[in-house]
Amino acid sequence: MVVPEAPPAHRVIDREWRVVVAGQRRDVARRYVTENPATELALAEVPDCTPEDVAHAVAAAQAAQVAWARTAPRERARHLRRFATALREHREELAAIDALDGGFPISSMRLDVDAAAEYVEVMCDLALGLGGRTIPASGQHLHYTLQQPYGVVARIVPYNHPLFFAASKIAAPLVAGNTVVLKAPEQAPLSALRIAEIADQVLPPGLLTVITGHGPDSGRALVRHPVVRRIAFIGSEQTGRSIQRDAAETGVKDVTLELGGKNAMIVLPDADPVRVAAGAVAGMNFTATMGQSCGSTSRLLVHRDLADEVLEHVRALVGRIRVGEPLAEETEMGPLITRAHYDRVLGAIDTARGDGAEIVTGGGRPEGAGERGWFVAPTVLAGVARDSALARTEVFGPVLSVMTFDGVDEAVGIANGVDYGLTAAVWTENVGAAHSLAARLDAGYVWINGSSRHFWGVPFGGFKNSGIGREDSLEELVSFSQTKAVNVLLPD
């Protein structure tokens, strides 16, 4: 593959990376090396924060939070809007950092910057939604509620949208009057560190601290810190459970989790096979994240009468996906994040073949990828047994499983027969059938005749092992506040 002319991010990456705490660059005792997943070469040295570093960050955040909590919500929003503007000003730089550090196509990462800035502005728009209410609990006295911040919030974000999650997911807690200590993904931490530097230029000092670390030490220290009473995590079910345990051992804390999914797209026999195929490929998120997305509709359940036609269209669309160097403008799909994940995804494909699944396309390294980089071709498997590991376990990679059904009840049973319930999709021209089926699915976010797209303002979150809490909406903003009831006893 030909590497294009280096964008500005190369100059930014070739530097010393440090943690910014309350406007000061902090030296840490330990460091670790990140890797470019497209080349397997070392990329940068970043701080490996110890529990002592985390305690310093929390103390600074706690000190800054007092004045920030007294700031009116619309004034907080004014500060955050400046941050959104700054993100747009650094669009090319931030996109290129994620392309190098995470292997994501630069064209998609530009869109992530745009989405992050817009998301911040949406939370600013919702600022007055933090108002309380009056309650007619008695005929004489005054009863009302206030929404007040928790204090220091821990945000722990994943590697599949490093810039987007780091930039956007600080907005709700900050607008609500908290300060934030954000744990960046260890596999792709650079854009989060750069965001902290940008925030330091436009936000009051101490509102945001980004910590990095290799392994669980820094994240666990943050979760277990006694000052941190509100924790929000996006990532795997296994890590989410660990966070719940750590939080429970050190206090009574409010923990929300947006976890994995094994999401079903159900296609009824009256659906348009061409539109279905396009929706299935988009819903799998092959491009942009290489299928490394918890919301991907990775199980395509097609009525038997339509299955062959849909599968042929899917095969053609997937075969046209351009896999390549993340900095190339024409690239639609890059490498997976690490060697360990690359091996895990290929192992899942091999296991599925052993269980009787048929590879329709992909199944290994893509042609022309060379020998370096953690590239896996976009893969479609048909004939997947509903009780197989592939049908029940999240792969978190570019692997679409295709299954058939004969009746709606059978389709619902397959869709709901897993431990997850994050997203789902229904394809049909029958409006009544669509609404009925959506109501029966154990999923927190359902598309009808669509997939993949999020709509800011619509609550996003999962059922069952896919998580607790809702994001992308007023519900997210309010969740970073506590309700206080005040009763004013008036004289007769």
Side-chain angles (χ1 to χ4, degrees):
M1 293 177 289
V2 177
V3 180
E5 183 179 351
H10 277 289
R11 295 195 295 274
V12 176
I13 285 176
D14 188 17
R15 47 162 281 191
E16 183 180 13
W17 291 91
R18 298 165 74 183
V19 173
V20 179
V21 181
Q24 302 296 315
R25 271 60 176 169
R26 177 176 172 83
D27 292 319
V28 301
R30 304 186 318 204
R31 304 183 73 81
Y32 74 100
V33 177
T34 65
E35 174 193 87
N36 182 334
T39 64
E40 306 176 31
L41 300 177
L43 187 65
E45 269 196 1
V46 295
D48 186 4
C49 293
T50 64
E52 291 74 23
D53 297 319
V54 173
H56 182 80
V58 171
Q62 185 179 27
Q65 194 270 334
V66 177
W68 184 242
R70 295 196 187 108
T71 306
R74 289 185 67 191
E75 178 65 13
R76 296 177 205 147
R78 187 175 66 82
H79 285 285
L80 268 296
R81 289 186 195 279
R82 288 205 300 265
F83 175 64
T85 297
L87 291 175
R88 293 188 175 101
E89 291 170 350
H90 291 270
R91 181 179 191 250
E92 192 66 21
E93 172 194 354
L94 292 169
I97 289 174
D98 271 4
L100 289 164
D101 198 25
F104 304 100
I106 189 168
S107 57
S108 297
M109 293 303 97
R110 292 188 187 107
L111 299 179
D112 266 17
V113 178
D114 298 341
E118 183 181 19
Y119 194 104
V120 171
E121 290 170 340
V122 167
M123 288 300 157
C124 293
D125 293 342
L126 295 173
L128 293 183
L130 288 165
R133 62 192 181 102
T134 58
I135 305 163
S138 65
Q140 177 182 358
H141 307 300
L142 174 64
H143 312 271
Y144 65 92
T145 63
L146 303 170
Q147 296 303 129
Q148 297 187 325
Y150 280 87
V152 180
V153 167
R155 265 290 195 183
I156 304 174
V157 296
Y159 65 76
N160 56 330
H161 288 278
L163 168 281
F164 172 77
F165 283 131
S168 67
K169 294 305 181 180
I170 65 172
L174 289 178
V175 171
N178 306 280
T179 51
V180 177
V181 178
L182 182 138
K183 169 62 171 63
E186 67 176 88
Q187 305 92 337
L190 298 183
S191 58
L193 287 170
R194 183 68 183 115
I195 285 166
E197 295 173 344
I198 294 170
D200 185 53
Q201 301 300 311
V202 296
L203 297 178
L207 297 193
L208 170 65
T209 303
V210 172
I211 60 171
T212 53
H214 186 63
D217 286 358
S218 56
R220 289 196 74 201
L222 181 59
V223 167
R224 297 176 70 89
H225 196 290
V227 167
V228 175
R229 292 286 180 178
R230 176 72 172 89
I231 302 161
F233 170 74
I234 303 173
S236 72
E237 177 196 351
Q238 180 182 10
T239 304
R241 288 171 178 263
S242 177
I243 286 171
Q244 286 180 313
R245 286 191 295 269
D246 281 331
E249 287 177 358
T250 53
V252 179
K253 306 190 179 192
D254 188 338
V255 181
T256 52
L257 307 169
E258 199 259 271
L259 307 177
K262 192 66 181 179
N263 311 299
M265 176 180 288
I266 298 177
V267 182
L268 299 187
D270 65 336
D272 180 344
V274 175
R275 291 182 61 211
V276 165
V281 174
M284 189 55 238
N285 296 303
F286 286 115
T287 61
T289 65
M290 295 68 77
Q292 296 169 133
S293 174
C294 54
S296 296
T297 42
S298 56
R299 292 184 296 156
L300 178 57
L301 280 54
V302 190
H303 192 278
R304 195 176 304 277
D305 293 347
L306 206 62
D308 290 344
E309 189 173 1
V310 168
L311 189 57
E312 190 53 42
H313 287 299
V314 168
R315 184 209 306 265
L317 291 173
V318 171
R320 291 200 290 267
I321 294 173
R322 295 186 294 271
V323 182
E325 159 61 41
L327 290 174
E329 292 293 339
E330 68 274 11
T331 293
E332 297 175 301
M333 180 175 161
L336 298 181
I337 191 70
T338 61
R339 170 64 184 268
H341 192 45
Y342 169 85
D343 290 340
R344 190 178 306 119
V345 170
L346 291 181
I349 295 171
D350 288 343
T351 298
R353 293 179 67 184
D355 290 340
E358 170 197 354
I359 293 182
V360 175
T361 186
R365 289 185 68 83
E367 293 183 8
E371 296 181 357
R372 300 190 72 85
W374 312 125
F375 293 92
V376 174
T379 299
V380 179
L381 296 105
V384 176
R386 65 190 62 179
D387 59 350
S388 66
L390 185 63
R392 303 181 63 82
T393 306
E394 185 180 37
V395 176
F396 211 67
V399 182
L400 176 63
S401 305
V402 182
M403 293 173 271
T404 59
F405 65 89
D406 294 301
V408 171
D409 289 344
E410 180 187 6
V412 171
I414 298 171
N416 291 344
V418 296
D419 292 331
Y420 298 106
L422 186 54
T423 72
V426 177
W427 286 80
T428 177
E429 298 302 314
N430 186 322
V431 175
H435 286 285
S436 174
L437 189 48
R440 295 177 64 187
L441 295 174
D442 293 338
Y445 202 85
V446 180
W447 297 279
I448 294 175
N449 295 333
S451 63
S452 184
R453 184 178 176 186
H454 287 230
F455 297 88
W456 306 147
V458 178
F460 182 85
F463 288 6
K464 300 191 287 191
N465 288 1
S466 287
I468 302 169
R470 293 297 180 268
E471 303 202 339
D472 299 1
S473 59
L474 180 61
E475 286 86 345
E476 177 184 358
L477 178 60
V478 174
S479 80
F480 287 100
S481 67
Q482 304 176 90
T483 300
K484 175 179 287 184
V486 180
N487 300 279
V488 183
L489 275 63
L490 301 174
D492 295 337

